[in-house]
């Protein structure tokens, strides 16, 4: 029996070890991306805090950015790196910070993205995935040999810069190694910019690093610990249509993408809000109806022209005794075709004095506001718009008015909590009612006295 008990405990211990290993041993490294010719802001809408990105998820994120028409891609590969390196050493030496060039490039680039936690096994196969996607030979370059790096702008280039190993014997050695690698990244980026090469940069490492923790609570007061700086994440200004010299329609989104025939991705984010390669001259601004027309020339290979129209109306509703702005339809015209792909719109309306905002707008049913195809041409298009905001009436300047959001107050989670609370309240009320109804006997039998006789009539 003792032997059977030992075997059972051994099985439980092995199972627990495997379980906790699968939960807590997912080592991860950060991946930093910045680009000069494409938008990366749409990728951030699919991320959430605390999630470790797997290899499949990393490939799904990169497939819309790294494609066959990508010209230049540079991967800075370090031996070890973690988010703790940035939080620990970012401001340790004044102007000689270990990540001075990296921080400057992330801020100065038109579009950047930081993935704080990516499975290190996904990073170990990243170069093979990029080589397979771009279908170009891989060029490995060691860190000290980067002075003669030249990019041929006539064909795609894939460079893997293997940075110097970081000797983590002590803090000064770690700082010196990180600063040397940061200078290499700065020199390569500057050299490519001088050659006029547009490229996508990726900075990551093969393995995560272990940074010793220091508790510097004494250096901060309670007020400083509880304070937080609010940063504006809006890198681009909204695009607007003019009515003479004054803007009359404002439109903004962090990700504005189309998918044609379920195969061709058309990312219009950078063209619309970054480089402003969009024409809004065909837009119309009237007191009762407005149309925002976004026209693009050669947005992707295979499409010569593309026009997207947002048709909005201003109506008076007696029920609310006020005017409301409503987005009635969205139209897509490819290559000046006669038939436009038309989508009807659900729940995109706001008081005419306000703008309208919704976190996700598109053709999928799970989005906050849905675009419903109205003809056969619309069935071949998929629309994805993140952080959608538009205002077509009562525009004073290039700043949006107060936004009416598409998210309702009573979400499914709130309804579930209310129903559950109601059921528990009913059970509690019934239990209290039953306890109150409990009564005791009016007379009791005494074993030393005469036997108690209770007539049936009582």
């Amino acid at each position: 029996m003792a032997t059977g008990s030992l075997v059972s405990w051994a099985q439980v211990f092995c199972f627990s070890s495997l379980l906790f290993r699968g939960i807590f041993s997912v080592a991860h490294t950060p991946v930093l991306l910045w680009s000069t010719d494409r938008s990366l802001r749409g990728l951030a809408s699919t991320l959430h805090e605390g999630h470790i990105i797997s290899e499949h998820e990393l490939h799904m994120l990169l497939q819309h950015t790294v494609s066959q028409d990508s010209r230049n891609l540079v991967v800075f590969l370090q031996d070890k790196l973690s988010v703790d390196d940035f939080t620990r050493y970012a401001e340790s030496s004044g102007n000689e910070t270990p990540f001075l060039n990296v921080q400057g490039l992330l801020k100065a680039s038109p579009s950047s993205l930081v993935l704080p936690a990516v499975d290190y096994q996904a990073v170990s196969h990243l170069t093979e995935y990029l080589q397979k996607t771009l279908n170009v030979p891989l060029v490995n370059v060691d860190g000290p040999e980067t002075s003669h790096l030249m990019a041929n702008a006539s064909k795609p280039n894939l460079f893997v810069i293997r940075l110097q190993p970081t000797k983590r014997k002590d803090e000064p050695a770690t700082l010196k190694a990180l600063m040397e690698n940061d200078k290499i990244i700065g020199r390569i980026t500057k050299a490519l910019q001088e050659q006029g090469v547009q490229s996508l940069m990726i900075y990551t490492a093969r393995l995560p690093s272990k940074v010793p923790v220091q508790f510097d609570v004494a250096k901060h007061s309670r007020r400083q610990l509880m304070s937080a700086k609010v940063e504006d994440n809006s890198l681009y200004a909204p695009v607007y249509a003019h009515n003479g010299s004054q803007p009359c329609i404002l439109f903004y989104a962090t990700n504005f993408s189309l998918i044609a025939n379920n195969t061709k991705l058309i990312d219009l984010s950078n063209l619309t809000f970054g480089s402003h390669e969009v024409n809004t001259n065909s837009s119309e601004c009237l007191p009762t109806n407005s149309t925002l027309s976004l026209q693009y020339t050669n947005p992707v290979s295979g499409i010569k022209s593309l026009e997207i129209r947002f048709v909005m109306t201003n109506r008076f509703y007696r029920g609310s005794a006020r005017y409301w702005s409503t987005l009635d339809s969205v139209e897509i015209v490819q290559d000046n075709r006669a038939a436009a792909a038309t989508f009807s719109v659900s729940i995109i309306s706001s008081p005419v004095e306000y703008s309208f905002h919704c976190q996700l707008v598109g053709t999928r049913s799970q989005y906050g506001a849905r675009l419903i195809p109205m003809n056969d041409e619309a069935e071949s298009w998929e629309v994805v718009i993140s952080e959608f905001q538009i205002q077509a009436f009562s525009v004073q300047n290039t700043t949006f008015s107060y936004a009416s959001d598409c998210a309702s107050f009573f979400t499914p989670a709130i309804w579930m909590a209310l129903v559950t609370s109601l059921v528990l309240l009913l059970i509690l009320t019934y239990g209290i009612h039953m306890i109150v109804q409990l009564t005791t006997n009016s007379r009791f039998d005494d074993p030393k006295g005469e036997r108690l006789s209770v007539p049936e009539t009582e």
Side-chain angles (χ1 to χ4, degrees):
M1 182 175 180
T3 305
S5 178
L6 289 175
V7 173
S8 300
W9 279 107
Q11 293 175 350
V12 172
F13 177 77
C14 293
F15 175 76
S16 302
S17 300
L18 292 174
L19 178 62
F20 283 97
R21 181 181 178 186
I23 295 176
F24 297 104
S25 65
V26 181
H28 54 273
T29 60
V31 176
L32 287 71
L33 305 93
W34 62 92
S35 175
T36 59
D37 61 344
R38 64 194 68 244
S39 175
L40 304 175
R41 292 184 58 82
L43 305 180
S45 61
T46 61
L47 307 177
H48 58 273
E49 296 180 358
H51 176 65
I52 299 178
I53 300 175
S54 64
E55 181 175 1
H56 175 69
E57 292 171 336
L58 180 62
H59 293 173
M60 293 294 293
L61 287 172
L62 294 177
Q63 70 176 358
H64 299 314
T65 303
V66 181
S67 58
Q68 295 291 342
D69 59 347
S70 299
R71 304 304 300 173
N72 297 280
L73 185 62
V74 182
V75 180
F76 298 101
L77 191 60
Q78 197 167 279
D79 58 345
K80 294 182 180 180
L81 186 67
S82 66
V83 177
D84 295 334
D85 288 323
F86 295 93
T87 57
R88 173 70 180 278
Y89 305 118
E91 299 179 358
S92 59
S93 304
N95 294 329
E96 294 295 328
T97 58
F99 304 103
L100 180 63
N101 291 297
V102 173
Q103 291 176 347
L105 291 170
L106 289 174
K107 293 180 180 180
S109 298
S111 184
S112 61
L113 178 65
V114 176
L115 306 178
V118 179
D119 189 357
Y120 80 100
Q121 294 183 355
V123 177
S124 62
H125 300 92
L126 178 61
T127 55
E128 291 82 356
Y129 167 75
L130 296 176
Q131 183 180 9
K132 181 180 179 182
T133 303
L134 294 175
N135 193 22
V136 295
L138 181 65
V139 180
N140 291 302
V141 182
D142 292 333
E145 301 177 359
T146 57
S147 58
H148 302 289
L149 180 64
M150 298 293 292
N152 187 357
S154 63
K155 62 179 182 180
N157 299 278
L158 175 58
F159 298 102
V160 177
I161 312 299
R162 301 189 181 277
L163 302 175
Q164 299 182 12
T166 55
K167 300 178 181 179
R168 298 178 180 267
K169 297 179 180 180
D170 51 21
E171 184 166 333
T174 304
L175 284 171
K176 182 179 180 181
L178 292 176
M179 282 193 293
E180 289 297 329
N181 289 336
D182 181 70
K183 292 178 181 178
I184 293 174
I185 295 175
R187 286 199 301 267
I188 293 177
T189 305
K190 183 178 180 180
L192 293 177
Q193 291 176 352
E194 291 177 352
Q195 299 175 31
V197 176
Q198 304 292 334
S199 57
L200 170 66
M201 307 285 186
I202 301 177
Y203 177 37
T204 185
R206 292 188 295 269
L207 295 173
S209 62
K210 295 182 179 179
V211 180
V213 180
Q214 288 186 350
F215 298 96
D216 296 333
V217 181
K219 297 182 180 180
H220 304 279
S221 65
R222 183 184 178 188
R223 183 181 298 273
Q224 289 173 335
L225 289 174
M226 296 180 64
S227 65
K229 294 182 179 180
V230 179
E231 297 181 356
D232 187 8
N233 294 325
S234 301
L235 297 180
Y236 305 130
V239 65
Y240 49 85
H242 286 277
N243 184 11
S245 60
Q246 298 294 329
C248 58
I249 303 176
L250 301 178
F251 171 59
Y252 179 77
T254 57
N255 177 34
F256 186 23
S257 302
L258 308 177
I259 300 178
N261 300 319
N262 297 322
T263 56
K264 184 182 291 294
L265 174 67
I266 308 173
D267 189 355
L268 303 175
S269 306
N270 189 51
L271 295 177
T272 307
F273 309 103
S275 58
H276 294 283
E277 299 179 18
V278 59
N279 187 358
T280 60
N281 295 333
S282 298
S283 303
E284 295 181 355
C285 299
L286 298 175
T288 57
N289 56 79
S290 297
T291 301
L292 174 62
S293 175
L294 305 176
Q295 297 179 349
Y296 306 89
T297 302
N298 298 321
V300 293
S301 60
I303 298 180
K304 296 181 180 179
S305 64
L306 186 67
E307 182 182 6
I308 303 174
R309 307 191 194 108
F310 296 88
V311 181
M312 292 158 285
T313 56
N314 180 17
R315 298 189 183 95
F316 180 80
Y317 291 87
R318 295 183 178 179
S320 59
R322 68 187 309 174
Y323 285 91
W324 286 75
S325 172
T326 305
L327 178 60
D328 294 332
S329 63
V330 176
E331 301 175 357
I332 301 176
V333 181
Q334 177 185 349
D335 297 331
N336 297 322
R337 296 177 182 175
T342 306
F343 300 86
S344 64
V345 185
S346 63
I347 67 168
I348 295 187
S349 61
S350 64
V352 72
E353 301 87 1
Y354 298 163
S355 63
F356 178 84
H357 173 269
C358 195
Q359 185 177 9
L360 281 175
V361 175
T363 51
R364 297 185 180 180
S365 58
Q366 64 267 28
Y367 289 167
R370 188 183 177 192
L371 305 181
I372 305 172
M374 296 297 294
N375 53 14
D376 295 337
E377 289 77 8
E379 295 291 343
S380 60
W381 289 92
E382 182 177 349
V383 184
V384 180
I385 309 177
S386 302
E387 299 298 338
F388 173 87
Q389 189 168 2
I390 195 168
Q391 183 176 355
F393 305 97
S394 303
V395 177
Q396 300 297 331
N397 46 40
T398 58
T399 305
F400 285 102
S401 303
Y402 177 83
S404 175
D405 203 276
C406 65
S408 60
F409 179 76
F410 286 97
T411 62
I414 295 178
W415 280 114
M416 292 174 62
L418 290 176
V419 172
T420 303
S421 301
L422 180 61
V423 172
L424 294 176
L425 182 61
L426 291 176
I427 296 174
L428 178 62
T429 304
Y430 178 76
I432 294 176
H433 176 74
M434 295 299 294
I435 292 175
V436 171
Q437 295 298 322
L438 290 177
T439 58
T440 59
N441 296 330
S442 60
R443 289 179 292 177
F444 298 90
D445 189 11
D446 186 4
K448 296 182 180 180
E450 295 182 359
R451 181 175 297 179
L452 181 65
S453 177
V454 180
E456 295 181 357
T457 56
E458 295 184 7

